[in-house]
Amino acid sequence: MDIWLWICDLPNSLEWDESNSPLIYELTSSNHNIKTQSSIQLKVERTLDINTDTSLTFSLSAQGCHPYGANKTLWVSDACPLSSDKPFLPLVLQLIREIIDHSPIGSHSSTCPRSQLKQLKPDPIAWILETHTPESFSGIFNVIFLTRLFWLCACDAPTEFGSLYFDSLLAPHLEQLLSRDNHLLVLRKFLLAVGVDVELCIARSVGYILAKWLILREMRVGLQSLMPSPSNLGISYAAETHGLWVLKGYTPVQSMKSTSSNGRGDGFPFLEAKEAALRYALAHQQLEAVIQLGYSVGFHDGYIQVSAHVDNLRFHVVQLGFNKNGDVMEYDKEIYFPSRVQVWIGPESGSNYVVSLSLGRSSSNIEKHVEIQRVVKGRLGKLMSPKIKAMTKTTTRMKMKNWRRDQDAEGNLVIYDAILCDNITGLEVYAMKGHGSRSSDGGLDKIRDGFRKRYAGADRPFMKSGGVVFAGDREQGEDVKWRLNKEMEGSVLRWRIGGKVWMSYWPNNVESSYYDTRCIEWCDEVDLPLIPSSK
């Protein structure tokens, strides 16, 4: 798909010289039968006027609508003046603005009443168009364009065009659209330029589309439903900025790799009504992760020291929907929760400039308090032999927290690890498999019951919204430190940054035996500038 390249070539198209008729780009088509062909077309018309500038106007139309093969115009763009140095900036701005207007609001409306994004600033997007070639911007435009087209097919087009969109347009190009190799650098610059509010709107719209597509695949029966889904669907990028390494990731929970579940193979068509409604609600949830590490560079005699620490690890789960009236849904509190988080940072593989690595946290050494109570009972009297009974009672007291946090190393790579544990038995939640398996205190069922009402109460391990935050406090440990050869001074190195998150679901308010654990992994590179500041 090269929609953007086709658009960029329109001002110089030789077809305009032969005729002033509209030019058509057929996005996809499908033959229902011999007589009827349905298709989605992008049409462009040129307006010539002596008193005004020549401009282009785009439109999207559904061709061959049931039952009489009629055509329906779904959308019309603003005019794009060809005299402008960026003639198609109005088109890109309009598409993004309309994506923002249709974006899911997430599981909760914003806390601040002034958080609604009212105006889209054109300068950052104009800068992206100016500094990137049509070939490099093409992948981003495809994502923007197909996201807007989804809402048109879902809300304005006849029902059959929804299937046409998913089957003939989205599915064949899905891996290419979301391939990080194709447009990672441009994606990073684009999202940083437009700001986090626009980023959230785009990420949630893309997540909503992917969630619907995954549900559709699961509902179908046949060979198509048996085909493996693409892995790591969603949007992610990493960047270095102002002494921070930041990795962001957005992915529908349903697209994550399943590690343990008692619902494999049970698609929506084979479930009872209440269980199907629960799974449907869970399928509309998205993980939004922010991994933020602070770093500093010190220059010493004979070596360079790089220090890093956890600044913020934030993991939120949002329910993608349009519940703008604040109505409480039956499954509003049935949310996946983070059960394990791994984050790593370090030099690129094969590097030989690191002299040493020092971690900043010791292995846990939990203190146990043991109380021993001895009781001696005796009875004397007219009995032939006196009776004496001795009894010893031992009590162990140990304070346990919900999250166990560790630092580890793999070569010169530092690994931060946080694991959610049951604070009575110490069992790791993400690794629990099977329902009703026995444990030291009488079974996993009892442990799961202890996690009910997990978003309420003073001792809850999660925020009220269902997510979790690890800030740069003492529990994360001291800074980790690398010593580098002095010869690296003045260079900009590429370092690895990554994260792996396990998400688990146990029933919270509803009665269900369903449980599930999934995981997602992101890995990227960030800059490490070793340039002394001039004083």
Side-chain angles (χ1 to χ4, degrees):
M1 277 182 48
D2 292 320
I3 305 172
W4 182 246
L5 297 180
W6 180 77
I7 291 174
C8 291
D9 289 338
L10 287 174
N12 303 318
S13 176
L14 297 178
E15 296 183 49
W16 294 120
D17 298 333
E18 301 174 0
S19 172
N20 204 35
S21 301
L23 302 185
I24 296 175
Y25 186 102
E26 188 169 271
L27 298 168
T28 186
S29 63
S30 175
N31 290 318
H32 295 296
N33 52 56
I34 298 176
K35 297 181 179 180
T36 306
Q37 182 183 33
S38 298
S39 65
I40 303 174
Q41 294 181 350
L42 174 63
K43 184 186 298 184
V44 57
E45 297 185 42
R46 184 171 67 166
T47 302
L48 295 173
D49 196 321
I50 299 176
N51 300 321
T52 60
D53 294 333
T54 302
S55 62
L56 300 180
T57 303
F58 296 87
S59 63
L60 284 164
S61 61
Q63 306 289 317
C65 300
H66 184 78
Y68 304 113
N71 303 330
K72 181 180 180 180
T73 299
L74 305 176
W75 175 83
V76 179
S77 75
D78 298 332
C80 299
L82 295 182
S83 60
S84 171
D85 57 342
K86 301 179 190 66
F88 302 116
L89 176 61
L91 173 65
V92 179
L93 289 172
Q94 182 181 355
L95 291 172
I96 297 176
R97 193 181 300 113
E98 291 172 358
I99 289 174
I100 293 171
D101 292 339
H102 289 81
S103 175
I105 61 172
S107 53
H108 303 279
S109 58
S110 176
T111 304
C112 177
R114 298 176 64 88
S115 294
Q116 185 177 0
L117 192 60
K118 296 180 180 179
Q119 189 174 4
L120 181 64
K121 297 180 180 179
D123 291 344
I125 300 173
W127 175 77
I128 291 290
L129 294 179
E130 183 179 356
T131 55
H132 291 82
T133 64
E135 290 78 9
S136 61
F137 186 72
S138 178
I140 302 298
F141 181 81
N142 286 342
V143 174
I144 295 171
F145 183 83
L146 289 183
T147 301
R148 181 65 187 103
L149 181 58
F150 167 80
W151 298 116
L152 293 171
C153 291
C155 303
D156 302 317
T159 55
E160 65 267 21
F161 285 88
S163 299
L164 184 62
Y165 173 89
F166 279 119
D167 296 339
S168 304
L169 196 56
L170 181 67
H173 302 100
L174 189 60
E175 291 194 62
Q176 178 187 359
L177 284 171
L178 299 178
S179 172
R180 302 172 72 254
D181 297 332
N182 288 349
H183 52 263
L184 176 60
L185 181 61
V186 186
L187 173 69
R188 178 191 304 143
K189 291 183 178 180
F190 175 78
L191 294 178
L192 289 174
V194 297
V196 67
D197 295 318
V198 177
E199 175 183 313
L200 279 174
C201 290
I202 294 175
R204 289 178 180 178
S205 294
V206 172
Y208 187 82
I209 295 170
L210 294 175
K212 291 296 186 185
W213 178 70
L214 290 167
I215 291 172
L216 186 63
R217 290 182 85 257
E218 191 168 341
M219 292 182 67
R220 290 179 174 174
V221 180
L223 294 176
Q224 186 177 3
S225 64
L226 300 177
M227 296 177 63
S229 300
S231 58
N232 282 24
L233 293 177
I235 295 174
S236 68
Y237 70 94
E240 183 277 335
T241 176
H242 304 296
L244 292 173
W245 289 315
V246 182
L247 172 63
K248 290 187 176 183
Y250 305 89
T251 186
V253 176
Q254 198 73 8
S255 71
M256 297 181 180
K257 179 183 177 182
S258 180
T259 60
S260 66
S261 175
N262 65 347
R264 289 181 178 176
D266 296 337
F268 287 105
F270 308 104
L271 297 173
E272 296 180 356
K274 287 187 176 181
E275 194 71 13
L278 171 63
R279 302 279 191 93
Y280 186 79
L282 293 174
H284 285 84
Q285 296 179 9
Q286 175 163 282
L287 170 64
E288 300 180 351
V290 178
I291 296 170
Q292 202 163 277
L293 307 176
Y295 78 92
S296 60
V297 179
F299 297 90
H300 306 272
D301 293 338
Y303 68 93
I304 302 171
Q305 181 166 289
V306 178
S307 303
H309 64 276
V310 170
D311 180 78
N312 255 215
L313 307 178
R314 304 195 296 270
F315 304 94
H316 295 90
V317 182
V318 298
Q319 291 174 313
L320 303 174
F322 300 91
N323 185 28
K324 295 185 179 181
N325 296 324
D327 300 328
V328 178
M329 299 173 59
E330 182 179 357
Y331 303 106
D332 190 44
K333 294 299 181 182
E334 302 305 313
I335 309 172
Y336 278 86
F337 56 87
S339 53
R340 184 180 181 184
V341 173
Q342 270 190 341
V343 173
W344 58 85
I345 184 69
E348 59 186 349
S349 180
S351 59
N352 60 355
Y353 52 77
V354 177
V355 178
S356 66
L357 165 64
S358 301
L359 298 180
R361 181 185 175 94
S362 303
S363 300
S364 296
N365 188 20
I366 298 177
E367 184 178 352
K368 294 183 180 181
H369 299 276
V370 179
E371 297 179 2
I372 300 177
Q373 182 181 8
R374 292 185 175 89
V375 179
V376 178
K377 295 182 180 180
R379 187 170 61 179
L380 300 173
K382 298 180 180 180
L383 299 176
M384 297 293 296
S385 59
K387 290 185 177 182
I388 299 176
K389 184 179 180 182
M391 181 177 64
T392 301
K393 183 179 180 181
T394 302
T395 303
T396 302
R397 295 180 179 178
M398 181 173 60
K399 292 183 177 180
M400 298 184 66
K401 297 183 178 181
N402 288 113
W403 289 92
R404 175 187 170 93
R405 308 179 195 184
D406 296 297
Q407 282 184 14
D408 201 354
E410 187 177 301
N412 288 320
L413 196 70
V414 173
I415 302 171
Y416 298 94
D417 203 352
I419 303 177
L420 179 65
C421 302
D422 175 57
N423 56 10
I424 297 177
T425 64
L427 291 176
E428 298 174 348
V429 171
Y430 87 99
M432 292 185 185
K433 298 181 179 180
H435 196 73
S437 301
R438 303 301 295 176
S439 65
S440 58
D441 72 332
L444 295 184
D445 284 341
K446 185 176 180 180
I447 298 174
R448 291 194 177 96
D449 288 341
F451 273 86
R452 286 185 174 273
K453 312 293 183 183
R454 54 182 172 267
Y455 308 118
D459 57 346
R460 50 187 163 85
F462 309 102
M463 294 184 295
K464 197 74 175 176
S465 60
V468 66
V469 173
F470 303 112
D473 50 31
R474 187 177 300 175
E475 290 192 49
Q476 304 300 333
E478 302 295 330
D479 287 9
V480 295
K481 300 179 178 68
W482 295 266
R483 291 197 176 189
L484 281 59
N485 289 327
K486 187 69 173 179
E487 292 78 9
M488 304 309 296
E489 183 175 332
S491 58
V492 178
L493 306 178
R494 297 292 289 170
W495 275 34
R496 290 175 287 168
I497 185 172
K500 190 172 184 179
V501 185
W502 284 258
M503 303 295 296
S504 298
Y505 171 74
W506 291 352
N508 184 44
N509 291 334
V510 301
E511 292 297 327
S512 174
S513 61
Y514 179 64
Y515 71 89
D516 188 27
T517 296
R518 298 170 179 267
C519 71
I520 181 72
E521 181 177 332
W522 298 290
C523 194
D524 211 322
E525 290 184 338
V526 288
D527 289 336
L528 171 59
L530 301 178
I531 302 174
S533 59
S534 56
K535 296 183 180 179

